[in-house]
Amino acid sequence: MRLPKPTLIATTLFLLGLLLLGLLLIGGANPTMAQDGPTTTEEPEGTPEVGDMGMVDGEEDELVARGRYLVHAVAACQDCHIGGSDYNAVYEDTLHASLAGGYTLLGNPWGQVTAPNLTVLHEWTDEQLENAIRYGVRPDGSLLLPPMPYEAYASLSDEDMTAIIAYLRSLEPVESEIAEPVLLEGLTREDIRTAPEINADAEFPTVDSSDMLAYGEYLGRHVAACVRCHGSAAEDGTLDPAGPLTGQVYVYGDFDAFQAPSLADERLSVEIIFTLLHTGIKANGRGVFIMPAYAYMQMTEADAQAIASWVISARP
Ligand code: HEC
Ligand code: HEC
């Protein structure tokens, strides 16, 4: 069976607003340049082996197991950070999918970026890993480009952040080559995104999973980050993780930009959304494109139910 094109297809949350903002930023540059996308198609070299992504043998520590679940089933980090190009392996064994990086997200209006290798970050301190995931800042202070949905992850609970970091630490390092980002001439990382301020004192309490709607909202906005495709933009053009699910952000695929449907659609129901998350099948009986349903299918029924219920409760 031919599987649908993987949803790895990037998913930056660049919106039209930011495109316009970008045009302002690049000042005198030819506006069509920004629309034409990258000026080079340099491909990353070397595809790491998928398969040896480092499992802890035998009994997995509970925290690590929780991190594995959050990373692969809920957040679908492998959607971008996939190692190699054996997409079928991602479908067949999602919970052990490689995070060795190397996939290039081409369609952004400002250039292209390759998702880095998450299996080789053992030397980063917990705080450095947290700052990258939550605030998009690397240990050397450089800013991560927006396809990385840090706006959504900024409010991950401390407990879930700890589990994700524990899981990343458990990964066996796998070598891979990561191409440098290629930005349109004149643009810098700072131009492309606004850095959220690092707030070392902020606390992110655990959301009670017995409060189904609150927990569904937490998962949907900040872990699964449905908002990175179905969400809306803040005034400055960045993703507004707290905004309505009206599908106003642009998702940049390999070469094209598109918008995901609004989840405020009256035809949707808890049942339809739960079925999609749990089986990957849409209301019309077909599989879904772009959306990492293969990952969500590994979510617990309770988590899928919580997200589906929240989406419907959040309808205006
Ligand atoms: C929509 C695509 C996408 C998703 C989903 C995504 N990332 Fe990323 N991530 C990226 C890209 C692209 C970069 C590199 C950005 C750059 O080079 O500026 C990145 C960078 C990172 C970095 C910095 C690594 C380094 O070497 O600089 C970490 C850590 C990271 N991501 C962790 C995660 C985790 C954990 C998840 C899931 C909870 C995740 N990412 C989900 C696209 C994504
Ligand atoms: C990477 C982008 C992306 C992410 C993340 C994403 N979606 Fe989607 N979603 C899409 C796209 C694109 C479509 C339409 C594709 C199609 O119809 O095949 C879609 C379709 C849907 C539909 C419509 C199904 C129908 O029957 O027409 C629902 C409901 C939905 N998504 C819910 C969610 C929920 C809930 C989440 C978070 C758990 C989520 N999506 C995460 C991109 C995404």
Side-chain angles (χ1 to χ4, degrees), residues 219-239:
L219 290 176
R221 292 198 187 277
H222 303 299
V223 195
C226 316
V227 290
R228 72 184 163 96
C229 299
H230 295 285
S232 42
E235 266 179 27
D236 64 358
T238 52
L239 171 71

Side-chain angles (χ1 to χ4, degrees), residues 169-189:
R169 291 208 180 291
S170 79
L171 296 173
E172 191 120 324
V174 177
E175 269 186 44
S176 65
E177 268 187 55
I178 308 298
E180 283 295 315
V182 182
L183 309 183
L184 288 190
E185 227 185 307
L187 286 180
T188 65
R189 286 174 173 270

Side-chain angles (χ1 to χ4, degrees), residues 11 75-77 80-81 105 113-116 118 121 124 129 132-133 138 143-145 147-149 153 164 168 181 189 228:
T11 34
C77 312
C80 299
H81 290 279
L105 298 99
V113 60
T114 300
L118 299 186
L121 304 178
W124 293 22
L129 284 167
I133 298 168
R138 284 207 181 93
L143 304 178
L144 294 177
L145 293 163
M148 170 67 188
Y153 301 155
I164 290 172
L168 295 181
R189 286 174 173 270
R228 72 184 163 96

Side-chain angles (χ1 to χ4, degrees), residues 11 224-226 228-230 258 260-261 263 268 272-273 276-277 282-283 287-292 296 307 311:
T11 34
C226 316
R228 72 184 163 96
C229 299
H230 295 285
F258 57 89
L263 298 186
L268 293 173
I272 288 174
I273 301 174
L276 173 64
L277 297 178
K282 291 189 293 187
V288 70
F289 282 91
I290 313 294
M291 173 164 154
Y296 304 149
I307 293 176
V311 169

Side-chain angles (χ1 to χ4, degrees), residues 12 40 42 50 80 118 129 136 146 173 182 196 205 225 235 243 247 255 283 292 294 303:
T12 69
T40 151
E42 192 189 305
V50 173
C80 299
L118 299 186
L129 284 167
V182 182
E235 266 179 27
F255 288 101
Y294 69 89
D303 285 356

Side-chain angles (χ1 to χ4, degrees), residues 22-238:
L23 292 178
L24 287 176
L25 286 169
I26 53 178
N30 177 356
T32 57
M33 236 177 87
Q35 279 152 15
D36 287 348
T39 49
T40 151
T41 51
E42 192 189 305
E43 286 284 354
E45 284 168 7
T47 41
E49 293 294 310
V50 173
D52 46 351
M53 63 288 301
M55 263 193 72
V56 177
D57 281 332
E59 290 275 295
E60 198 167 66
D61 180 89
E62 213 177 296
L63 190 64
V64 171
R66 168 79 180 155
R68 178 190 295 283
Y69 171 74
L70 291 171
V71 161
H72 291 293
V74 191
C77 312
Q78 72 278 354
D79 217 38
C80 299
H81 290 279
I82 182 181
S85 51
D86 188 357
Y87 300 132
N88 285 349
V90 174
Y91 289 107
E92 281 157 19
D93 196 359
T94 303
L95 290 175
H96 299 94
S98 170
L99 294 172
Y103 176 71
T104 301
L105 298 99
L106 290 166
N108 310 286
W110 39 260
Q112 66 185 54
V113 60
T114 300
N117 187 345
L118 299 186
T119 72
V120 292
L121 304 178
H122 297 79
E123 281 173 17
W124 293 22
T125 63
D126 287 0
E127 199 187 351
Q128 288 170 336
L129 284 167
E130 174 165 356
N131 286 343
I133 298 168
R134 219 186 261 294
Y135 302 112
V137 180
R138 284 207 181 93
D140 68 1
S142 61
L143 304 178
L144 294 177
L145 293 163
M148 170 67 188
Y150 34 70
E151 297 100 329
Y153 301 155
S155 309
L156 276 167
S157 72
D158 288 323
E159 203 180 354
D160 286 346
M161 182 64 78
T162 305
I164 290 172
I165 290 173
Y167 172 62
L168 295 181
R169 291 208 180 291
S170 79
L171 296 173
E172 191 120 324
V174 177
E175 269 186 44
S176 65
E177 268 187 55
I178 308 298
E180 283 295 315
V182 182
L183 309 183
L184 288 190
E185 227 185 307
L187 286 180
T188 65
R189 286 174 173 270
E190 286 70 22
D191 296 332
I192 293 169
R193 47 86 89 201
T194 359
E197 292 286 314
I198 293 184
N199 180 354
D201 301 327
E203 285 181 17
F204 302 94
T206 299
V207 180
D208 184 357
S209 61
S210 66
D211 182 344
M212 188 172 70
L213 291 182
Y215 192 62
E217 171 156 29
Y218 166 72
L219 290 176
R221 292 198 187 277
H222 303 299
V223 195
C226 316
V227 290
R228 72 184 163 96
C229 299
H230 295 285
S232 42
E235 266 179 27
D236 64 358
T238 52

Side-chain angles (χ1 to χ4, degrees), residues 269-303:
S269 63
V270 173
E271 181 64 28
I272 288 174
I273 301 174
F274 173 79
T275 304
L276 173 64
L277 297 178
H278 199 53
T279 66
I281 303 296
K282 291 189 293 187
N284 65 5
R286 303 202 176 153
V288 70
F289 282 91
I290 313 294
M291 173 164 154
Y294 69 89
Y296 304 149
M297 283 162 66
Q298 308 297 321
M299 282 198 288
T300 63
E301 289 194 16
D303 285 356

